[in-house]
């Protein structure tokens, strides 16, 4: 029931998953004009690596947030927040989850950015697909008011999937939206959302495992910690985040790391960085590219790096593999090395 004469407008946080899609749909069904907003943090699972790896060939190569917007027939505003988001990752007031995921601070940040956007664009309220009890950190009955309060959205933040479990928000109190048609979903089960999707005739939707970003991934978090530990301070650039999603990351010595492609798709992708990083290529056998990140390598380091790369080439069982070291300036240097057995690879090794 929309008792106001003016059509109300809501901005929906669209992650690309089912919940935010359903939340937007529920509100649209009440005659509200909805547009989506999606924040690009650099850690998003969407895009990038899914498009690269050979093993993901059979998965749809789509940006799910855009795809959801297309399914809903709404505009999607993709906002680059890479720079301001750094403070969320580096200094989360509410701490990290199981890995480096600062989910509560992240949610507060995103809702606050959506609130700013809504104010600038003349939108009336904000929608999220949050469900009480779904996530241990940001979607609990006691943390939901924290998100609303600290983001500044207060009672203009509507969670249509679990609204009946929360105090009425302004859109409900003012009659912009009918609370009776909102839901009371709670908990980690996906059954209610799946049933609602079926009711709306939605058959295809993304099912992200664990979370919407790489910060929930233990491997990724370990690589980020390793990056910080070997840098002058905890800092990162967007390229760092992208490269942490690609290849095996092996640190044979504290002052350098190898990023070795895991398949042909990753090799082609890492090739795009060959002007930024010294790198190694096998020449006697097929093999992946290895980027070298770190300071200048002495001859012993270069040979060690070549032996490690040889281990991941098709010459892994050969007595000798030829490897070219290509510095950023100067001539390539050729090595003939014996592949290093996996158990002898020193240092951290992250997939
Ligand atoms: S999983 Fe990542 S994007 Fe999602 S709330 Fe947590 S930190 Fe934010």
């Amino acid at each position: 029931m929309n008792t106001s004469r003016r059509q109300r407008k809501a901005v929906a946080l669209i992650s690309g998953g089912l919940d935010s899609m359903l939340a937007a749909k529920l509100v649209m069904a009440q005659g509200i004009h909805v547009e989506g907003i999606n924040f690009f943090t650099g850690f998003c699972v969407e895009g990038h690596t899914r498009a690269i790896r050979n093993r993901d060939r059979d998965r749809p190569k789509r940006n799910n947030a855009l795809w959801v917007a297309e399914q809903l027939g709404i505009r999607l505003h993709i906002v680059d927040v890479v720079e301001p988001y750094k403070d969320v990752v580096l200094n989360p007031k509410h701490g990290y989850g199981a890995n480096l995921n600062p989910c509560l601070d992240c949610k507060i940040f995103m809702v606050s950015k959506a609130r700013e956007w809504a104010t600038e664009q003349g939108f009336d309220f904000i929608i999220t697909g949050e469900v009480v009890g779904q996530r241990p950190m940001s979607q609990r009955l006691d943390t939901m008011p924290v998100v609303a309060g600290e983001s500044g959205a207060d009672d203009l933040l509507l969670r249509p999937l679990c609204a009946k479990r929360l105090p009425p928000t302004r859109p409900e109190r003012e009659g912009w939206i009918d609370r009776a048609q909102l839901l009371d979903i709670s908990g980690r089960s996906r059954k209610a959302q799946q049933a609602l999707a079926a009711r709306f005739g939605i058959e295809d939707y993304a099912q992200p495992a664990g979370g919407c970003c790489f910060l929930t991934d233990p491997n990724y978090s370990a690589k980020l910690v390793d990056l910080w530990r070997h840098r002058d301070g905890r800092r990162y650039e967007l390229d760092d985040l992208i490269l942490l999603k690609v290849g095996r990351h092996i640190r044979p010595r504290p002052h350098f790391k190898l990023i070795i492609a895991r398949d042909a798709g990753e090799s082609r992708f890492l090739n795009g960085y060959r002007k930024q990083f010294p790198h190694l290529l096998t020449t006697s056998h097929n093999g992946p590219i290895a980027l070298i990140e770190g300071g200048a390598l002495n001859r012993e380091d270069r040979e060690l790096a070549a032996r490690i790369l040889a281990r991941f080439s098709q010459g892994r069982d050969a007595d000798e593999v030829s490897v070219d070291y290509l510095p950023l300036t100067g001539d390539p240097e050729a090595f003939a090395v014996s592949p290093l057995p996996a158990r002898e690879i020193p240092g951290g090794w992250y997939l």
Side-chain angles (χ1 to χ4, degrees):
M1 178 177 62
N2 185 357
T3 56
S4 171
R5 286 209 310 269
R6 176 166 77 81
Q7 187 190 28
R8 295 290 166 175
K9 297 197 282 187
V11 59
L13 270 77
I14 298 289
S15 65
L18 178 61
D19 291 5
S20 54
M21 185 184 198
L22 292 173
K25 189 101 180 156
L26 273 174
V27 170
M28 291 167 72
Q30 294 205 33
I32 305 289
H33 173 82
V34 174
E35 294 188 14
I37 195 163
N38 173 264
F39 296 104
F40 177 74
T41 64
F43 294 101
C44 317
V45 173
E46 296 299 309
H48 296 115
T49 46
R50 192 165 293 158
I52 300 168
R53 291 208 70 183
N54 287 1
R55 71 168 188 198
D56 291 332
R57 280 278 135 90
D58 51 347
R59 297 174 71 178
K61 308 230 182 300
R62 67 186 184 204
N63 176 313
N64 278 314
L66 277 171
W67 181 81
V68 162
E70 182 261 314
Q71 293 292 300
L72 293 172
I74 63 171
R75 277 189 72 182
L76 182 73
H77 306 271
I78 299 179
V79 182
D80 181 332
V81 291
V82 172
E83 280 305 314
Y85 193 73
K86 284 179 179 173
D87 193 44
V88 177
V89 176
L90 297 173
N91 308 301
K93 180 179 157 193
H94 297 281
Y96 297 105
N99 296 293
L100 276 184
N101 49 309
C103 289
L104 186 48
D105 291 83
C106 172
K107 198 58 95 176
I108 293 166
F109 171 86
M110 289 188 183
V111 173
S112 114
K113 287 282 167 202
R115 180 190 57 81
E116 283 169 25
W117 186 94
T119 305
E120 283 163 20
Q121 303 295 324
F123 276 57
D124 299 291
F125 61 102
I126 301 147
I127 311 164
T128 68
E130 292 166 285
V131 165
V132 173
Q134 178 144 288
R135 295 214 188 270
M137 198 173 187
S138 57
Q139 298 188 40
R140 294 195 322 245
L141 201 53
D142 59 327
T143 56
M144 286 192 151
V146 176
V147 174
E150 293 192 15
S151 66
D154 295 316
D155 64 354
L156 291 178
L157 175 58
L158 178 73
R159 285 102 164 193
L161 298 183
C162 61
K164 284 182 176 164
R165 292 185 177 270
L166 300 168
T169 58
R170 188 163 165 219
E172 296 157 274
R173 292 197 313 271
E174 301 264 348
W176 303 343
I177 196 149
D178 179 11
R179 182 175 169 89
Q181 294 181 48
L182 302 177
L183 304 180
D184 62 352
I185 303 175
S186 70
R188 302 184 72 111
S189 165
R190 309 288 300 150
K191 288 209 173 86
Q193 287 93 321
Q194 285 158 359
L196 186 60
R199 204 180 98 202
F200 282 133
I202 300 169
E203 291 170 2
D204 181 12
Y205 43 85
Q207 307 209 42
C212 29
C213 82
F214 272 101
L215 289 168
T216 57
D217 180 314
N219 250 315
Y220 190 91
S221 295
K223 286 186 279 190
L224 188 54
V225 168
D226 171 81
L227 182 113
W228 286 339
R229 195 172 287 147
H230 295 92
R231 267 210 184 153
D232 183 19
R234 290 164 86 232
R235 57 189 173 79
Y236 63 81
E237 300 304 327
L238 179 58
D239 261 350
D240 295 319
L241 306 188
I242 304 299
L243 285 172
L244 289 180
K245 299 176 189 175
V246 186
R248 294 178 181 87
H249 289 236
I250 299 173
R251 187 175 292 284
R253 300 274 183 261
H255 58 282
F256 79 95
K257 177 174 90 169
L258 301 173
I259 305 174
I260 302 180
R262 289 170 291 191
D263 60 29
E266 288 195 340
S267 260
R268 283 192 292 276
F269 184 81
L270 291 181
N271 244 299
Y273 286 84
R274 68 191 185 285
K275 302 271 187 238
Q276 284 163 255
F277 293 89
H279 54 283
L280 296 158
L281 294 169
T282 52
T283 52
S284 57
H285 299 78
N286 283 334
I289 185 173
L291 303 183
I292 301 171
E293 188 190 278
L297 304 194
N298 62 28
R299 167 126 193 140
E300 194 187 326
D301 290 338
R302 296 197 294 271
E303 192 169 321
L304 173 61
R307 291 191 68 200
I308 293 171
L309 177 63
R311 163 69 184 78
F312 292 99
S313 75
Q314 287 184 5
R316 65 180 65 86
D317 298 320
D319 292 336
E320 204 168 79
V321 173
S322 302
V323 178
D324 274 356
Y325 168 76
L326 296 104
L328 286 180
T329 54
D331 295 328
E333 183 182 0
F335 290 87
V337 294
S338 58
L340 196 68
R343 65 181 181 283
E344 290 179 29
I345 295 176
W349 181 357
Y350 308 105
L351 289 176

